[in-house]
Amino acid sequence: MESPVAAAGARGTEAVAGEGPVIGGASQGSAVSVPKGVARWKLLRQVLKQKQLDDCLKHVSVRRFESFNLFSVTEAKKRGTEEEAGVWVQYTSILYPEYSISLRFNSGSLNVEDVLTSFDNTGNVCIWPAEEVLAYYCLKHRNIFRDLAVCELGGGMTCLAGLMVAISADVKEVLLTDGNEKAIRNVDSIITSNRKTGVFKAQKVSSRVLRWDNETDVSQLEGHFDIVMCADCLFLDQYRASLIDAIKRLLQPTGKAMVFAPCRGNTLNQFCSLAEKAGFSLQRHENYDEHISNFHSKLKKENSDLYEENLHYPLLLILTKMA
Ligand SMILES: C[S@@+](CC[C@H](N)C(=O)[O-])C[C@H]1O[C@@H](n2cnc3c(N)ncnc32)[C@H](O)[C@@H]1O
């Protein structure tokens, strides 16, 4: 069977029984008649065959995300300029509908070359559920970001959570990052487009390629951030230690990291042990939000054939730097 490792480029080997993160919105499929696994493999097969993504992907990408029911997604009008071409959607928080952002998906142009020659492409496939949970959590707790410098690591092709901070919080600065250049080109165009509509509350919003294992990328921003956050980035065996090192170095001495990820076998536990060894004090939260906990219980009860806690339910880790 094909694996997400082959389909999405280089990545960790411990993505648990061949299953990568679920496709955002492909789950609990009332909107789609095929099971989410089938839809995902179809999508990834198409990527490898260098076919333009067909209506199936568009459907997956633009319909309302159903796993934790946090964002509604509506297709946006076609954009005029070439720079703005692509699939644009409006992502709106369901619980905080005053917060809404225009996003572009890196859909049609992920081709064989991208997959085989570029760095990890898992962030160019879709917005994964943990990212949506992090984004929602940031909206709910937007007051904690006041006057702070915030960095999102491994934010994928939209860096949705960092964008939610930028539109909702009186934050000093938001830096959106990923190790994949194509993802960051997409984030650049999202920032440019939303800046025109004046949606950002943050004083400064920017994006850049930042690889956790790249000394220059990390050292240039050493000690700069009050909060570093990431979603679904712990399953990459070869980068787990460098992710912890990057978090530690990017944070200022009293800084905190907010990390959302599903257990995925032992990968979250491995991250926790490494973080403690690196001198972080660690809090692990399984019930961090009533809405998410209730939805999780409902999914376990009603969708046990599709929903697997180990792969789909993000836990929250708070890492605090110890002096
Ligand atoms: C599963 S994706 C998660 C993307 C996004 N957070 C989401 O949940 O939708 C993992 C992300 O980590 C990024 N990544 C993997 N290894 C990295 C590294 N060494 N440095 C920076 N980013 C990395 C990938 O490019 C990818 O976007």
Side-chain angles (χ1 to χ4, degrees), residues 18-134:
E19 173 131 21
V22 293
I23 287 178
S27 54
Q28 326 324 322
S30 60
V32 172
S33 55
V34 287
K36 69 173 190 253
V38 175
R40 182 172 64 241
W41 295 125
K42 183 174 179 209
L43 159 62
L44 295 176
R45 253 199 319 277
Q46 284 170 340
V47 167
L48 284 174
K49 286 179 182 164
Q50 204 171 359
K51 277 174 64 177
Q52 287 290 308
L53 298 182
D54 67 3
D55 290 339
C56 172
L57 170 62
K58 286 197 188 130
H59 197 46
V60 165
S61 301
V62 300
R63 74 164 175 268
R64 179 173 150 155
F65 177 81
E66 289 165 304
S67 280
F68 294 101
N69 212 22
L70 298 172
F71 289 90
S72 69
V73 187
T74 51
E75 204 159 355
K77 284 196 198 105
K78 292 237 178 310
R79 305 298 182 104
T81 67
E82 201 178 311
E83 188 191 40
E84 291 178 327
V87 180
W88 285 87
V89 295
Q90 194 67 30
Y91 241 70
T92 305
S93 164
I94 290 176
L95 281 100
Y96 305 98
E98 64 274 34
Y99 299 115
S100 181
I101 188 108
S102 170
L103 297 181
R104 184 170 80 164
F105 286 126
N106 245 347
S107 55
S109 53
L110 189 62
N111 57 30
V112 172
E113 206 185 321
D114 288 327
V115 170
L116 297 181
T117 62
S118 69
F119 172 73
D120 185 320
N121 264 294
T122 53
N124 284 324
V125 176
C126 63
I127 300 176
W128 302 105
E131 180 78 24
E132 294 201 341
V133 171
L134 172 60

Side-chain angles (χ1 to χ4, degrees), residues 119-120 122-123 128 131 154 178-179 210-213 231-232 236 239:
F119 172 73
D120 185 320
T122 53
W128 302 105
E131 180 78 24
D178 195 88
L210 190 158
R211 275 192 61 161
W212 319 324
D213 50 324
D232 214 346
L236 299 146
Y239 295 125

